[in-house]
Amino acid sequence: MIKRAYNFNAGPSAMPLEVLQEAQAEFLNYANTGMSIIEMSHRSPEYDTLHKETKDLLRELMEIPEDYEILFIQGGGSTQFLMTAANFFNKERAAYINTGVWSKKAMAEAKRYGEAYEAASSADRNHCYIPQEFTFKPETAYVHITSNNTIYGTEYPDFPKFDVPVICDMSSDILSRKVNVADFDLIYAGAQKNLGPAGVVIVIAKKAFLATANEDLPTMLKYSTFTENDSLYNTPPVFCIYMVNKTLHWIKRQGGVEVVAKNNAEKAQVIYDVIDNSNGFFIGHADKEYRSKMNITFNLADKDLEKDFVAKAKAAGFIGVGGHRLVGGCRASTYNAVPMEACQALAEFMKAYQAEHSK
Ligand SMILES: *Cc1c(COP(=O)(O)O)cnc(C)c1O
């Protein structure tokens, strides 16, 4: 047996063991070609099959309507911050819902293109909730939201209806729960939290919305370059897409998104239960109704113990339990590939730690 860590990293993060093993087994000889997937042309029939299958699987698992494109783009979620703005800032203003660091970064990029304003913000309570009221201004091109806030551990329990096109950053919860793709005009997600290695971003966009994009842009910043060339204008991140393909197959084998979502809810609850039953020893950051099932953020009531807790957790084999460098505290990321067993082990560790440290 290979020794695998209890991996609670926020991103890059745990991948399904089966996926890693499959990749390992075929790394030297992919599909009887006598070469690795990373050694072959992205114009080869073998790659073409993989490329198409990956899109088909994603369409099937997320029930993506036919009038939506699926694109593979490089540059991470951070490049989508500017790319969405560059393409769709075609009115005077664009609205951003500020639910934390990532949405703020997205808004900062949009400010280059016009008046990017906050239609709502959770900054007043250190982003421990999702705002439910929004103030829109006239001439708003789109609204940008972040479905799951990786750093603060909040998620939209359900998505509000907006009167303007909706762009959603799903980098840290894509395929972790069921979403109605038709509620969004453009979804983007970096692969490295729930789907594969860093290096590819999945973009799912409504064709009619893509048709409104600004065309006066550098080639690699235009969505049309990707739609017109099936994401093969230049060399796509072949290995990343290959790993995403394997992860999608894995999700399908689990029973699809609904089963994965149910597992995720149960996994997160195991840890939230320890927080809630700790008599205030552990304090959850997010308001209960907005708790993320991907990133569980908490503090210790005794701040002086936090460093010790993270260090002891690490020594006990729990990796990635320290909070984000900007906010501190503790965070356990329980993405799709983190097994229930790891969550139960962390829950037991937390209980034992509390027993040892409360007099
Ligand atoms: C990690 C993350 C990003 C940044 O992604 P990069 O690929 O590192 O640019 C953006 N948005 C959210 C919600 C994230 O969790």
Side-chain angles (χ1 to χ4, degrees):
M1 267 281 277
I2 310 154
K3 191 172 171 351
R4 298 272 296 162
Y6 290 126
N7 184 350
F8 293 96
N9 279 328
S13 38
M15 292 280 295
L17 181 58
E18 287 168 41
V19 167
L20 298 173
Q21 284 172 328
E22 282 171 31
Q24 185 183 43
E26 54 189 41
F27 192 63
L28 301 185
N29 183 7
Y30 177 73
N32 278 322
T33 54
M35 62 183 79
S36 169
I37 183 74
I38 66 167
E39 297 174 293
M40 70 180 58
S41 169
H42 57 293
R43 314 272 175 210
S44 64
E46 290 81 8
Y47 178 71
D48 187 58
T49 303
L50 178 78
H51 191 88
K52 288 204 170 75
E53 193 199 59
T54 309
K55 293 202 312 181
D56 290 346
L57 271 169
L58 192 68
R59 201 176 286 281
E60 179 188 336
L61 289 168
M62 287 184 73
E63 297 175 45
I64 300 171
E66 281 306 318
D67 61 334
Y68 280 69
E69 295 272 4
I70 298 171
L71 310 173
F72 302 123
I73 303 182
Q74 302 196 45
S78 299
T79 300
Q80 288 307 302
F81 298 162
L82 76 97
M83 208 165 147
T84 47
N87 281 265
F88 299 110
F89 212 130
N90 48 22
K91 288 188 178 170
E92 215 163 296
R93 307 185 178 88
Y96 282 73
I97 313 294
N98 177 9
T99 50
V101 171
W102 295 118
S103 51
K104 231 176 150 175
K105 284 191 169 176
M107 184 161 76
E109 293 300 315
K111 284 188 171 152
R112 294 174 182 276
Y113 301 93
E115 183 194 336
Y117 67 94
E118 278 184 2
S121 169
S122 52
D124 60 332
R125 289 200 292 127
N126 197 21
H127 302 298
C128 68
Y129 68 104
I130 301 288
Q132 297 299 308
E133 277 170 41
F134 313 96
T135 309
F136 284 93
K137 298 183 183 179
E139 283 299 300
T140 293
Y142 61 82
V143 58
H144 178 284
I145 67 173
T146 311
S147 52
N148 180 77
N149 297 282
T150 326
I151 294 173
Y152 298 91
T154 60
E155 68 178 29
Y156 284 77
D158 34 47
F159 294 97
K161 294 268 180 285
F162 298 107
D163 294 330
V164 293
V166 184
I167 296 175
C168 184
D169 177 359
M170 288 194 189
S171 290
S172 55
D173 66 344
I174 190 166
L175 285 152
S176 72
R177 54 172 167 158
K178 225 171 137 71
V179 296
N180 181 19
V181 172
D183 289 345
F184 305 91
D185 294 85
L186 186 145
I187 292 167
Y188 64 87
Q192 72 268 26
K193 314 269 162 65
N194 244 340
L195 287 180
V200 69
V201 180
I202 310 283
V203 174
I204 300 161
K206 194 175 194 161
K207 288 177 185 170
F209 183 56
L210 288 167
T212 69
N214 176 14
E215 283 297 306
D216 184 18
L217 291 170
T219 308
M220 292 305 288
L221 289 185
K222 285 193 285 199
Y223 287 106
S224 59
T225 300
F226 294 84
T227 54
E228 284 163 16
N229 298 283
D230 190 15
S231 304
L232 285 158
Y233 170 80
N234 74 327
T235 319
V238 167
F239 186 71
C240 297
I241 294 166
Y242 161 86
M243 293 298 281
V244 169
N245 177 288
K246 296 229 167 289
T247 305
L248 295 174
H249 274 292
W250 176 82
I251 292 172
K252 196 173 167 177
R253 288 200 299 277
Q254 306 309 297
V257 178
E258 264 169 276
V259 175
V260 166
K262 185 172 167 282
N263 292 343
N264 285 336
E266 288 170 6
K267 279 155 46 186
Q269 199 55 47
V270 166
I271 298 169
Y272 282 127
D273 280 345
V274 175
I275 293 170
D276 293 342
N277 296 328
S278 71
N279 288 321
F281 184 85
F282 296 108
I283 303 166
H285 177 70
D287 286 359
K288 279 189 187 169
E289 61 266 51
Y290 304 114
R291 278 176 167 175
S292 167
K293 285 158 200 90
M294 297 283 96
N295 312 98
I296 300 166
T297 48
F298 58 97
N299 288 87
L300 271 67
D302 181 352
K303 285 263 173 225
D304 295 340
L305 273 182
E306 258 168 16
K307 269 207 175 108
D308 180 68
F309 173 79
V310 174
K312 294 264 163 60
K314 191 173 176 195
F318 301 98
I319 307 304
V321 179
H324 188 274
R325 62 196 156 82
L326 295 177
V327 299
C330 309
R331 170 174 59 173
S333 296
T334 52
Y335 296 117
N336 287 355
V338 175
M340 172 57 109
E341 182 219 337
C343 300
Q344 280 164 342
L346 179 62
E348 289 310 315
F349 174 81
M350 289 167 71
K351 282 193 262 182
Y353 187 88
Q354 180 180 357
E356 197 180 314
H357 290 86
S358 38
K359 292 137 261 177

